[in-house]
Amino acid sequence: MVLMFWWLALVLLVLAGATVFFFRRPKATASSLAVAHSARMTSLPSFRKAMRTRLLTTVAFLAVIALTGLSTLAGISRPAWVETVNPEKKLRDVMLCLDVSGSMLGYDADLLEAYQELVDRFDGERIGMTVFNATAVSAFPLTDDYDMVQNYLKEAEEGFRTWGSEGTDYSWSTSPPNIGGSSLIGDGLVSCIDNFDRQDEKRSRSIIFATDNMLAGDPLFELDEATDIAVESKVRVYSLSPPSVLAKTQTKELKSVSDRTRGKQFDMGSASTIDRIVAEIQSQEAENTPGRSYTIVHDMPAVPLGIAVFGLAGVFVLAWRTKS
């Protein structure tokens, strides 16, 4: 919280101090007149009690006046909460696209752990997740509720580690008996692209495409066709491959997909993969969202002015008590 007009409060404080100094200067008085036997009166218990009460009332009176004055000055100074909004961070969408076919079950838990690290590094991006095998399922739509995203990814990771090669609910739900084949890579990528919303808005859209690209069936969309759709939709694909397919044809195809969509291809075996993916998305994707940062000021005068009102009421009460 900041004081927008702190200088005004300082000026008023100085003027108040100068006023007190000039009007409260001691004036010349006549010599004091001695009173005989006054010590006997001042030593009386009732007199001492009255003096203590008078002193406490005066101290309280001055304290309330000071509090009221300071609260009034704080209210006049316009206390405010200043928020800086960066449109670039608000206009990025990232879809986590995970292959849950049989050949990927040994890697999915590690990939979900890597996804959690990615989410930790993001700031303001909306995150969504789609899993696919013979068909695709939206795990959760695009959202900026990072706590929900992390909880979901953590539970999914634990599920894959518990079930292992037997699969999980994802494996079963994405392999319905009426659809032949499995690991339909092109169909999975198209489904991930289709799960981007707000198509009428100019937003940066990225897919982190985790797959071994081991096709086992007849897809509706070949990988090249899915890539054409990504290019047309202006979606960048950052492919993430497990170590089992490094330097193979599958990896070369994924690299071609990433290159055509202006993304990049990464491998799970590199310790710097997470940092590089985040850096790529937050730097290159910023080109698509060149909005300038702007500042929003939220006025917060209620608390100091409320204290001043109660303090003013206290001043009247204590003034009456002091007078009586």
Side-chain angles (χ1 to χ4, degrees):
M1 187 176 72
V2 298
L3 298 177
M4 304 300 293
F5 299 140
W6 59 268
W7 52 269
L8 178 58
L10 182 60
V11 170
L12 293 176
L13 192 60
V14 171
L15 290 176
T19 302
V20 171
F21 175 77
F22 285 109
F23 285 93
R24 295 291 295 176
R25 287 185 300 176
K27 299 179 181 179
T29 58
S31 301
S32 300
L33 180 64
V35 178
H37 307 296
S38 60
R40 292 181 61 184
M41 181 184 69
T42 57
S43 63
L44 293 174
S46 58
F47 182 85
R48 291 185 176 183
K49 181 180 179 181
M51 291 302 294
R52 283 196 300 268
T53 302
R54 180 77 174 185
L55 177 62
L56 291 175
T57 304
T58 302
V59 170
F61 187 40
L62 294 176
V64 171
I65 290 176
L67 178 62
T68 303
L70 292 175
S71 300
T72 303
L73 290 175
I76 293 174
S77 302
R78 190 187 171 191
W81 171 48
V82 180
E83 177 187 14
T84 300
V85 178
N86 186 347
E88 291 182 3
K89 295 180 181 179
K90 306 298 184 183
L91 297 176
R92 296 187 188 133
D93 293 341
V94 179
M95 182 65 66
L96 308 178
C97 195
L98 181 63
D99 183 349
V100 294
S101 62
S103 61
M104 284 289 292
L105 290 180
Y107 305 105
D108 283 330
D110 292 335
L111 283 166
L112 285 162
E113 184 178 2
Y115 280 165
Q116 293 172 60
E117 292 184 43
L118 282 170
V119 174
D120 279 337
R121 309 289 181 85
F122 286 140
D123 180 19
E125 291 85 357
R126 291 197 307 158
I127 310 294
M129 180 174 170
T130 303
V131 296
F132 70 91
N133 185 7
T135 186
V137 173
S138 175
F140 53 85
L142 289 163
T143 178
D144 56 5
D145 186 349
Y146 284 14
D147 290 337
M148 183 280 292
V149 171
Q150 289 288 33
N151 290 335
Y152 199 104
L153 294 176
K154 182 63 176 177
E155 291 179 2
E157 177 199 349
E158 293 173 353
F160 276 102
R161 294 197 189 281
T162 301
W163 287 90
S165 60
E166 297 181 8
T168 65
D169 290 341
Y170 286 143
S171 304
W172 303 324
S173 62
T174 56
S175 301
N178 60 326
I179 298 181
S182 65
S183 192
L184 305 183
I185 312 300
D187 293 355
L189 180 56
V190 172
S191 296
C192 292
I193 296 170
D194 287 342
N195 282 335
F196 284 107
D197 59 3
R198 302 184 184 180
Q199 296 296 330
D200 57 331
E201 297 181 14
K202 184 179 180 181
R203 306 180 67 86
S204 166
R205 297 178 172 88
S206 307
I207 290 178
I208 301 178
F209 192 44
T211 178
D212 58 4
N213 195 22
M214 301 290 288
L215 179 63
D218 296 321
L220 295 175
F221 297 92
E222 297 292 340
L223 189 55
D224 283 343
E225 294 175 313
T227 305
D228 292 337
I229 295 174
V231 172
E232 183 180 354
S233 302
K234 298 181 179 180
V235 174
R236 295 190 183 189
V237 179
Y238 299 89
S239 55
L240 186 58
S241 304
S244 61
V245 297
L246 294 181
K248 294 184 178 180
T249 303
Q250 290 85 353
T251 302
K252 294 180 180 178
E253 289 178 351
L254 290 175
K255 185 177 186 305
S256 174
V257 172
S258 298
D259 290 344
R260 286 179 57 193
T261 60
R262 299 179 64 194
K264 284 193 175 181
Q265 196 275 333
F266 300 92
D267 64 85
M268 290 177 55
S270 173
S272 62
T273 294
I274 301 300
D275 292 332
R276 291 168 59 198
I277 292 177
V278 173
E280 284 291 329
I281 291 177
Q282 292 187 336
S283 62
Q284 293 189 24
E285 297 300 329
E287 299 174 2
N288 295 341
T289 55
R292 295 182 178 179
S293 299
Y294 58 93
T295 300
I296 301 176
V297 179
H298 305 274
D299 288 324
M300 304 175 64
V303 173
L305 293 181
I307 294 175
V309 170
F310 283 106
L312 185 61
V315 168
F316 284 111
V317 172
L318 289 172
W320 175 76
R321 290 290 303 274
T322 302
K323 184 178 181 181
S324 60

